[in-house]
Amino acid sequence: MAWDLSVDLIKATVQLEQPLGDGSRTVGTGFLVSDPTPDGKPRTILVTAAHVFEKMPSVSARIGYRIQGAEGVWRYDPESLTIRDGDHPLWTKHPTRDVAVMVVEAPPEFAKAAIPLNYLAQDDTFNKFNLGPGDEMMALGFPRGLSANPAGFPILRSGRVASYPLAPATNFPTFLMDFSVFPGNSGGPVFMAEGARRRPGASESQEVQFVAGLLTQQVELSGERLEIGIVTHAKFIRETLALLDKVPGAAVTQARAPRPEPAMPGATPAAAVSAMAMGASH
């Protein structure tokens, strides 16, 4: 049965934000992964770039869930997410890469949107499908805190792989992607969703759909943005997820955000968003 990773990831991707004292807010992107505990219990995990949380000074942030009503209409329904216990971070960070994960208690209808762990690329994925420079990939995020619509869905962008070689990830932990990157994109998934790809010399085409990694930085040189994104390989997301079972900790309890809510993310003026999460250099 055919499936569409683009739609699955759109449903699993959320805006992360924290209001600042001056009336602006810091914004990043995250996505949900379903990764059961070692004893088989369901578990929903939020994946993002570590610096998204690190640039949020307060103990709680907001995670932009979306709820579909009985008539099929979607609405933006953010909830409070505790990210620190005092000065102690509640997320788990990869020891060397800009990747963070945190177990969350998502609303049941949203937990269903979390993508399975096997959607994440493995060490041999790039070589298996003979991927390289020029191949097109897509990215989801909230550039400058904007969403695709008032329901809070992420904006889908595309670009081409702009570096070589891509593997092994141990030696080349990041790769470049040729597309415009903005504050607020950090932590968003970068993925490939190609219905039919034929490897050179092969007689049959294969469906190629996987999460290649997450966006962690934009490239700047002498203060000039080069419109190139830096993607951290999915291998390091997998490694960070594995750390969850090595450190004690329970799921983070969330509480409903107080009403009334601020304007929907799609209607937020770009000028009101500052100090957004995005690395500044390669």
Side-chain angles (χ1 to χ4, degrees):
M1 180 178 178
W3 56 282
D4 189 341
L5 179 58
S6 301
V7 173
D8 286 356
L9 269 175
I10 285 173
K11 292 179 178 179
T13 299
V14 292
Q15 182 176 126
L16 302 171
E17 63 174 326
Q18 186 179 93
L20 302 177
D22 60 359
S24 63
R25 59 194 176 112
T26 180
V27 180
T29 302
F31 60 101
L32 301 183
V33 173
S34 176
D35 181 23
T37 62
D39 59 1
K41 294 180 180 179
R43 181 171 60 178
T44 303
I45 300 170
L46 172 65
V47 178
T48 188
H51 75 262
V52 169
F53 286 145
E54 292 168 352
K55 289 189 175 183
M56 293 181 173
S58 300
V59 298
S60 63
R62 294 202 315 168
I63 181 168
Y65 293 129
R66 300 170 294 270
I67 304 298
Q68 189 173 26
E71 297 180 356
V73 178
W74 291 91
R75 61 184 172 85
Y76 189 58
D77 195 36
E79 294 190 358
S80 178
L81 176 67
T82 302
I83 61 174
R84 290 183 179 84
D85 181 6
D87 293 332
H88 176 67
L90 296 179
W91 65 87
T92 298
K93 184 182 184 301
H94 191 278
T96 61
R97 310 311 311 176
D98 188 9
V99 180
V101 301
M102 187 168 65
V103 180
V104 296
E105 293 179 357
E109 60 269 35
F110 209 93
K112 295 177 182 177
I115 64 169
L117 178 65
N118 61 12
Y119 281 22
L120 300 178
Q122 303 196 58
D123 285 347
D124 63 346
T125 301
F126 281 76
N127 289 335
K128 177 182 178 182
F129 295 112
N130 200 36
L131 301 177
D135 281 318
E136 185 176 50
M137 292 191 181
M138 290 179 278
L140 288 165
F142 298 91
R144 298 199 179 279
L146 300 178
S147 63
N149 46 47
F153 283 96
I155 294 173
L156 178 67
R157 310 280 298 284
S158 66
R160 296 192 177 275
V161 175
S163 57
Y164 177 87
L166 303 181
T170 301
N171 295 335
F172 303 97
T174 63
F175 63 92
L176 303 182
M177 187 169 164
D178 181 19
F179 84 123
S180 297
V181 181
F182 296 92
N185 281 125
S186 276
V190 174
F191 64 100
M192 191 167 194
E194 205 169 288
R197 180 186 177 88
R198 180 171 296 176
R199 184 171 182 173
S203 59
E204 297 181 356
S205 61
Q206 289 181 293
E207 189 175 76
V208 181
Q209 302 197 82
F210 62 88
V211 177
L214 59 80
L215 191 67
T216 47
Q217 289 181 297
Q218 65 179 339
V219 178
E220 288 189 5
L221 183 63
S222 300
E224 181 181 5
R225 293 176 59 248
L226 300 184
E227 298 188 350
I228 296 174
I230 301 177
V231 182
T232 297
H233 274 287
K235 165 187 172 68
F236 302 103
I237 301 176
R238 285 179 171 271
E239 290 181 356
T240 313
L241 291 170
L243 293 175
L244 285 173
D245 299 318
K246 298 179 180 179
V247 295
V252 176
T253 301
Q254 299 174 31
R256 287 279 171 183
R259 297 295 190 268
E261 289 292 343
M264 297 302 180
T268 302
V273 184
S274 68
M276 293 185 190
M278 176 56 67
S281 60
H282 183 18

